[in-house]
Each structure stands twice: as C-alpha cells, then as structure tokens.
Amino acid sequence: MKLDSKVPKGPIAEKWTTYKDKIDLVNPANKRNIDIIVVGTGLAGGSAAATLAELGYNVKAFCYQDSPRRAHSIAAQGGINAAKNYMGDGDSNYRLFYDTVKGGDYRSREANVHRLAEVSGNIIDQCVAQGVPFARDYGGLLDNRSFGGVLVSRTFYAKGQTGQQLLLGAYSAMNRQIARGKIEMFNRHEMLDVVKVDGKARGIIARDLISGEIERHSAHAVVIATGGYGNVYFLSTNAMGSNATAAWKIHKKGAYFANPCYTQIHPTCIPRSGDYQSKLTLMSESLRNDGRIWVPKHLEDAKAIQEGKLKPTQIPEENRDYYLERRYPAFGNLVPRDVASRAAKERCDAGYGVNATGEAVYLDFAAAFVRYGTEQAKIKGIHNPSKEEIIKLGQAIIEEKYGNLFQMYEKIIAENPYETPMMIYPATHYTMGGVWVDYNLMTTVPGLYCIGEANFSDHGANRLGASALMQGLADGYFVLPYTIGDYLSDDIRTGAIPTDSHEFDEVEKEVKDRLDFFINNEGTHSVDYFHKKLGKVMWDKVGMARNEKHLKEAITEIKKIRENFWKNVKVPGGLNEFNQELEKAGRVADFLELGELFAKDALDRNESCGGHFREESVEKSGPQKGEAKRNDKDYAYVAAWEYKGEPADAILHKEELEFKDIELKTRSYK
Ligand SMILES: Cc1cc2nc3c(=O)[nH]c(=O)nc-3n(C[C@H](O)[C@H](O)[C@H](O)COP(=O)(O)OP(=O)(O)OC[C@H]3O[C@@H](n4cnc5c(N)ncnc54)[C@H](O)[C@@H]3O)c2cc1C
C-alpha cells in the first residue's frame, strides 16, 4: 500500500482553513446515530471525548485507571506552548512552526506542524474558559516562560502542575457529557484488541480489570489516545502503567508504526539510585530558565565529589564548567533536550559526573537567587541589603515559581536544593515515534484514528518542551473533531454495529487464548524480571548513543528475552479477578516485540537526527565538529513499518518529507 499523507494542496498558512471549509459534515440529527469509541482519557483522549460528545456523537470512553483524572497527563509539570505573543517578544504562528520543525531536526510533516501552531492559541482560550488557573503576572495577564530550543517566551503554565490543571479542565468537560449521557465512561477497562469489519475499525475487545470479564464494544470509528511507549526502557519518567498495548495491537491489525526509534531522553531527571528502582522522576525543563548546569572543570574535583570529600558549594566559580553556556552561547542552558542530554552524557563519560555513580551533573540556582533577590530588594526599597537578605528574597521568588518541584526533589534525594545544587541526569521521557497517521489523524486502517503521544506526531525526531500538551489538546479539541466528521459522513445510514459477528468472535477468542496462556503457564520468572532485562538492553544499546554493532546485538538479545518470556513467564492469580500481574504480562509481551522493531528502525536509520544519535554519523570538522550529523539526502522520510509477523519481518514504507516553507539547514544552537 502506498502511504498517502492526504496533506491538502495550497499555501501552508491556508491549508487547514480551506480544508475545513471543504470537508463533509455530519448534520446534528445524524450525529445522534453515530457511535465513537475513544480509548484513553488523558489530555488527548479526554479532550476528544468531551468535544465529540459536545458535537452530538455518542461516545464510549475507556481508561485503565479508576478515573480519567489519573491519566499520565496529570504528571506534566512545566507548561504548554502557544503562539500568543503575550510577551511582545516577536512570537508568531510562523515562529512556533519554524521552531518545532527545526527542533524536530527536520523530520516532521510541515503541514501538520503549521496547523498545530495555528490552533495553539485556541487551546489557551478554551482552557481559560474551562477555568484552568494558568499563572498570571502582576497585572493579571497570563504569564509565559521559556522552554528549550526557542528564543521567545511562549509557555503557559500553572506552577509545576500544568498537566494536572489542564486535565481537570478536560475532565470537567467530559463530566458534563457523562452527566448528559453522551459519554459512557468505562473506567478500569483495558482495550486488548481492535475489531475490523470489512476492513474498517468497528470496535474493540476490552477487559473489565475488576471482574476480569471480557467485553465487546462496537462503534463506527475507534480513536486510540493511549499515550507513549517510553516504558519499553523499564525505567522512565512515565507513569508506571503507561504502555503500548493498544498501539501495538492496532499495529498488528494493519496500522503502520512510524519512527519507533525516535525517543526523547530528557536531560533534567533525578539520577538513578540503584538496581531496585521502579521509576524515574522528572525535574521540569522550566527549571532551566533559572538553573545553570555545570560540572567541575578539573577531574580531581569531580573525583573528590564522587568520593564525598568535596561539596559543590566549595568549588569556586572559576573551577566550574558551565558546559552548555560554553558550547552553545546563543541558547545556553535552554538548548533542546536531545542536545542537553548528549552534552551531559559526554561530560559524565569523560569522568566529570558528580555523584557516586558518576552519572549526574549540577543544576544550580545560586545565581538566580542573587538576581531575583537584588531586584526584590530594590522593589521593596531595602537599601544596602546583606548577601543573606538578598538570597532569602531570591529564594522566595524561586519558591513561588517552582516550589513544588524543589519540595519533590528534597523528598526524593533528602538534600535541600535551596542550599546545594540539584543533581540531574538524562532519563527516558517521551516517544516521538508512534502509530502513523495521515493529515486527518487516521491510521492506515479506515475508521481507526490515533491522537496524542500515541501517534507519530508533529515533533519529528525531537520534541520541544511544552509541545506535547499542545499537540494532545490540539488533536483532541481542534483537529480530530473536524476530520473524523468527514469520514463519518459516509456512515449516517449504517446503523448500530452488531457485536455478534464472526469478526468479534475471532478477536475475542485471540484475546481469551492469550490471557489463558499467561494464567496457565507454569513459568519460573515474574513479568518484571523480563521487563528489566529488556530495559537494560534498550538503555545500554538503544539509548542515548547508538551504533551498528550494539543495535545488531540488541535485536538478537531482545528476541532471546522474548522467547524466554513465552517459555518461562509466571503470572500468579486468576483470570476472573483484579490481577495486575496479568495486566502487566500482556503489556510486557507487547514491549518485547516493539523493542525489537525499535532497534531495527534505529539500525536502519544510519544518520543522527534529534533524539536518535548514531555514533557513526557525527560532524568531523567545522563549527559543528562533534555534533550530530543529519543526512537529508538519504533519510528525509518518515519510516512507517508494516507488521508481517515477527518484528524482523516488518516491511518499511517511506513517507518522503517535503520542505517547501522551511529551508533544510544544519541544526545549530551555537
Ligand atoms: C513527568 C512528565 C512531565 C511532563 N511535562 C510536560 C510538560 O510540562 N509539557 C508538555 O507539553 N508535556 C509534558 N510531558 C509529556 C506529556 O505529559 C505527555 O506526552 C501527554 O500528557 C500524553 O498525553 P496523552 O493523552 O497522549 O496520553 P496519556 O496521558 O498517557 O493518557 C493515556 C490514556 O490511555 C489510557 N490507556 C492506555 N492504554 C489503554 C488501554 N489498552 N485500554 C484502555 N485505556 C488505555 C490510560 O488509561 C490513559 O487514560 C511530561 C511527561 C512526563 C512523563
């Protein structure tokens, strides 16, 4: 099948508007006869479910938590981007479009990214109308801060809890529709497969996670909004439950999976503490607005710190290496995530890391305390303030901005970050790859849509900070509700989709057989045993730096772990009860296939771009010496994989990327 991105013709700034004007609509009376399943009620699925129901469709929404309020989206800390130019610093739709395409290392689809920038402002208006308490400045206007990879301030935020506040907004909008009966909410339900009838997505098989009952649900279209697959690494900043099962199951039923190797390793996370850890914690990128990143300039100082003989506060200014400011003077500490992560790894690999494992760098707020404190002293009319007074005043401002993040850090590390610099290290955080979708957000299966982090999205090979929430809410509030109508306009006479068909019988049987296998397999090892093994291979060989030898080894090793899993996995408990080990078994089985495709994709892409760094593809000379080297001649495409059985047999389809409005350039933040 030839991939058709269905990007409308015409000038980029007019495509979306003209397209919306021309697509088919479903009249309000007919919407009442159309059912839509939305799987996932994080920011993407929650906003889509609420909007589709508001439009008049009958929505069935599913999530595996006990409430949509607990979706992983709640963890989002730093903010959400929008090109409102409230700060008057020269922002525009074009600049947001440009920054996102450049930030993604020229591996995203121009038309989608421009649309994203166009609707970004609407998202903020919508959320404010819902009552989302964005931070405001002294005069009461919405405040903005800056995130990596841009030279303007366009990030709207609610302290360090932006995701939570946005999710409460979307959840309120959903609740209104639940109360009206337009959304039927299925909490604690996990979609275990999709059902196709005559080639179209017409339903799902779900498991009631409390009773264990297997259920059939039908609809005229199915929307997958199930989040990213970062937990393929076992340790990540994602919620423990985040998984790829829905995305992987639809891949196995015909939806192509795009760019699986594009993963974001976030530079500012709390370093790993040992082998018995189950997750990692993010320290929001917003902290890089005020925190300066450094390691000791001299190896002997680094060694003394690693051995606990020296404190960071004892190292004088001239003996510190603010390596991001040194290497990237134009963007400094606010370089994009992939660049900052690699730079931290480079320093730590060279021996300059600052904790016992040598895998940490400092994020230091001392300069910000003085800067803000001096300003506050002036504002408050304090003449000749002492150094201590200044620092105290400055700390109060930092507390106002990031207090909950500082508190979280102190609880985990047991050190007061107001007194000593934070320690941070890169960790898996977000997946730019995902289910391939066209301009309508439809997958390669008719009637099957994918939105939010689960799709291969608008971020190319690297996502800029605060752009995931923007994309998820753009998809759910402003894009899908239009595009899905164009498809559903052909379904107004179809009537309800029956679930007593052989198509439902077959898929339900597949699901039940698999669950039976897990319960009855007399294995020797827990699900986590295999997940940890997979995660270690992924981190060591498909992590921040990749090379041909390691990728080939990873493919072989993951296959072996998978074979061992199917022989030796042990799942305690029963089928017809709340059984979290059983839930995990299915998810890890899918990660074990996805992980191999991930490594295969990384091997196939013999260039460095964004988060995908191939050690073989580095600039050897010139001003970019040592930086990642992209290869536009051979790799300016989206890699969309078709399932053919084993991951090794997957077939590559290429969507060639066209750059008509942005010139392909070397991506430099110097
Ligand atoms: C710690 C942290 C901080 C972040 N901070 C920011 C930030 O400041 N700004 C920003 O832009 N981005 C941020 N991100 C990224 C952003 O939070 C996510 O990309 C985004 O929230 C994903 O939203 P989503 O709706 O696509 O998926 P999710 O929020 O992951 O929701 C997935 C939904 O799918 C459901 N689900 C999954 N599988 C199934 C299944 N099989 N059956 C039924 N239901 C299922 C879940 O129950 C859930 O409802 C952050 C990420 C992390 C980890």
Side-chain angles (χ1 to χ4, degrees):
M1 189 177 89
K2 192 173 166 350
L3 277 179
D4 180 2
S5 63
K6 304 220 171 80
V7 171
K9 301 224 170 337
I12 195 136
E14 290 165 26
K15 279 183 201 290
W16 178 231
T17 309
T18 317
Y19 183 66
K20 274 192 301 176
D21 288 346
K22 303 251 167 82
I23 53 179
D24 287 337
L25 299 175
V26 180
N27 100 19
N30 286 329
K31 285 193 183 107
R32 289 198 283 272
N33 301 322
I34 292 188
D35 306 324
I36 302 176
I37 285 176
V38 179
V39 186
T41 51
L43 281 173
S47 57
T51 312
L52 292 167
E54 177 79 39
L55 284 171
Y57 296 109
N58 309 312
V59 175
K60 292 182 189 176
F62 294 79
C63 76
Y64 61 73
Q65 289 94 348
D66 59 348
S67 156
R69 271 180 311 156
R70 266 183 257 287
H72 158 68
S73 290
I74 203 168
Q77 300 172 349
I80 174 166
N81 289 329
K84 287 273 202 189
N85 194 27
Y86 280 174
M87 307 305 274
D89 54 3
D91 202 8
S92 64
N93 286 348
Y94 182 83
R95 258 188 208 283
L96 175 49
F97 161 59
Y98 174 85
D99 289 342
T100 308
V101 172
K102 175 184 170 189
D105 220 350
Y106 305 88
R107 290 291 174 265
S108 41
R109 199 187 279 150
E110 271 192 345
N112 286 51
V113 182
H114 199 281
R115 174 175 67 188
L116 179 63
E118 284 172 63
V119 304
S120 65
N122 302 134
I123 299 171
I124 303 303
D125 298 342
Q126 167 94 355
C127 296
V128 169
Q130 287 169 347
V132 172
F134 285 121
R136 290 176 184 266
D137 67 14
Y138 181 72
L141 300 173
L142 297 186
D143 195 18
N144 283 166
R145 57 189 176 199
S146 202
F147 264 57
V150 307
L151 295 171
V152 294
S153 292
R154 64 161 73 99
T155 305
F156 294 77
Y157 63 101
K159 223 174 186 181
Q161 307 171 339
T162 315
Q164 178 174 359
Q165 299 306 329
L166 292 171
L167 193 59
L168 287 172
Y171 177 61
S172 317
M174 276 186 80
N175 256 342
R176 188 165 163 266
Q177 301 304 330
I178 291 172
R180 287 178 66 215
K182 291 304 290 182
I183 294 182
E184 197 179 348
M185 186 65 225
F186 295 87
N187 295 321
R188 287 274 190 221
H189 274 68
E190 181 166 20
M191 166 190 160
L192 292 179
D193 218 330
V194 65
V195 180
K196 291 196 313 189
V197 178
D198 297 332
K200 294 179 178 174
R202 291 301 200 188
I204 63 168
I205 302 294
R207 179 166 179 266
D208 177 331
L209 298 179
I210 303 292
S211 67
E213 196 179 328
I214 300 299
E215 299 173 2
R216 302 175 178 197
H217 295 275
S218 69
H220 297 90
V222 176
V223 180
I224 301 296
T226 48
Y229 53 89
N231 279 348
V232 68
Y233 284 87
F234 184 69
L235 284 182
S236 88
T237 63
N238 288 193
M240 293 286 291
S242 292
N243 70 89
T245 283
W248 194 250
K249 287 296 173 4
I250 67 168
H251 172 55
K252 291 174 97 163
K253 289 276 182 323
Y256 292 2
F257 206 96
N259 302 330
C261 79
Y262 289 169
T263 320
Q264 178 158 86
I265 314 278
H266 196 299
T268 56
C269 303
I270 296 183
R272 205 170 69 92
S273 61
D275 285 342
Y276 295 97
Q277 198 165 344
S278 50
K279 90 173 290 306
L280 293 168
T281 306
L282 175 78
M283 288 282 102
S284 166
E285 176 164 312
S286 58
L287 294 169
R288 284 198 274 146
N289 273 272
D290 288 309
R292 297 177 72 196
I293 294 179
W294 64 276
V295 290
K297 207 180 256 176
H298 304 298
L299 269 176
E300 56 274 21
D301 284 350
K303 203 155 176 282
I305 285 187
Q306 288 162 16
E307 289 167 358
K309 294 179 186 154
L310 192 67
K311 292 201 169 102
T313 42
Q314 293 170 317
I315 300 186
E317 233 4 74
E318 64 275 16
N319 289 345
R320 298 176 177 196
D321 177 14
Y322 294 93
Y323 57 88
L324 289 178
E325 297 171 30
R326 168 172 59 78
R327 285 179 64 177
Y328 308 100
F331 284 71
N333 292 295
L334 279 173
V335 287
R337 293 173 178 177
D338 56 334
V339 177
S341 290
R342 273 197 294 280
K345 183 176 184 313
E346 187 277 327
R347 284 294 76 193
C348 292
D349 287 353
Y352 294 88
V354 295
N355 66 359
T357 64
E359 289 194 338
V361 299
Y362 288 127
L363 178 64
D364 194 336
F365 292 84
F369 297 152
V370 174
R371 180 162 42 87
Y372 285 120
T374 310
E375 190 180 286
Q376 284 301 305
K378 285 209 171 98
I379 292 169
K380 292 184 184 326
I382 305 172
H383 298 294
N384 296 324
S386 67
K387 200 172 160 212
E388 288 70 34
E389 268 178 303
I390 288 179
I391 289 175
K392 216 162 164 225
L393 288 166
Q395 285 177 340
I397 297 294
I398 292 289
E399 188 179 0
E400 225 171 75
K401 288 184 160 207
Y402 319 106
N404 66 317
L405 301 174
F406 273 59
Q407 194 185 31
M408 197 161 80
Y409 181 88
E410 188 170 2
K411 284 211 163 145
I412 294 174
I413 296 288
E415 275 183 4
N416 181 350
Y418 292 99
E419 285 167 9
T420 183
M422 287 184 182
M423 282 181 295
I424 51 162
Y425 195 69
T428 303
H429 177 65
Y430 181 88
T431 46
M432 284 76 67
V435 178
W436 185 89
V437 288
D438 64 17
Y439 190 73
N440 297 312
L441 305 179
M442 201 201 279
T443 69
T444 41
V445 175
L448 183 58
Y449 291 79
C450 190
I451 60 175
E453 191 175 337
N455 74 22
F456 86 105
S457 87
D458 304 341
H459 311 292
N462 172 60
R463 174 175 70 79
L464 291 182
S467 285
L469 302 184
M470 171 174 69
Q471 180 231 328
L473 291 180
D475 288 358
Y477 282 135
F478 296 108
V479 179
L480 180 81
Y482 286 100
T483 59
I484 203 169
D486 192 40
Y487 172 80
L488 290 171
S489 61
D490 286 339
D491 257 328
I492 54 175
R493 286 180 206 85
T494 306
I497 309 290
T499 56
D500 56 355
S501 62
H502 71 91
E503 288 90 349
F504 274 88
D505 291 346
E506 269 168 30
V507 183
E508 187 185 270
K509 183 171 178 320
E510 278 172 39
V511 166
K512 283 186 167 165
D513 286 351
R514 190 167 154 118
L515 293 169
D516 283 341
F517 168 83
F518 286 133
I519 292 295
N520 295 320
N521 196 44
E522 298 289 321
T524 44
H525 291 296
S526 70
V527 175
D528 270 359
Y529 169 87
F530 296 98
H531 196 180
K532 278 184 192 166
K533 281 196 172 303
L534 170 68
K536 181 153 173 44
V537 176
M538 293 298 297
W539 184 249
D540 290 347
K541 299 189 171 167
V542 204
M544 258 191 287
R546 303 157 180 185
N547 61 51
E548 184 182 343
K549 179 174 170 289
H550 279 163
L551 290 170
K552 285 185 171 157
E553 286 169 9
I555 290 171
T556 314
E557 288 169 25
I558 294 169
K559 190 163 184 259
K560 271 202 195 125
I561 300 171
R562 191 170 64 243
E563 284 164 1
N564 191 7
F565 171 87
W566 285 107
K567 276 193 205 122
N568 289 319
V569 69
K570 171 149 189 64
V571 177
L575 265 183
N576 301 317
E577 61 189 34
F578 182 58
N579 185 343
Q580 291 194 297
E581 281 301 300
L582 179 60
E583 292 168 28
K584 259 198 293 185
R587 296 169 190 171
V588 171
D590 294 330
F591 277 142
L592 283 164
E593 292 180 7
L594 169 56
E596 189 181 329
L597 184 70
F598 188 134
K600 181 179 159 89
D601 184 49
L603 179 64
D604 200 69
R605 189 170 282 279
N606 191 6
E607 65 159 349
S608 293
C609 61
H612 171 63
F613 182 69
R614 283 290 298 261
E615 287 169 350
E616 299 91 341
S617 189
V618 175
E619 298 285 355
K620 296 266 171 5
S621 58
Q624 289 291 105
K625 189 170 173 212
E627 301 288 336
K629 186 176 178 197
R630 221 177 53 229
N631 173 353
D632 294 329
K633 190 170 121 318
D634 300 316
Y635 293 99
Y637 59 77
V638 176
W641 296 93
E642 181 183 1
Y643 181 78
K644 284 284 172 192
E646 287 286 297
D649 302 329
I651 295 177
L652 174 64
H653 299 263
K654 296 179 184 176
E655 178 195 338
E656 297 295 338
L657 291 167
E658 289 189 336
F659 294 92
K660 291 187 180 152
D661 290 82
I662 290 183
E663 188 194 345
L664 277 164
K665 279 199 222 153
T666 301
R667 180 170 164 250
S668 168
Y669 293 95
K670 290 185 186 269

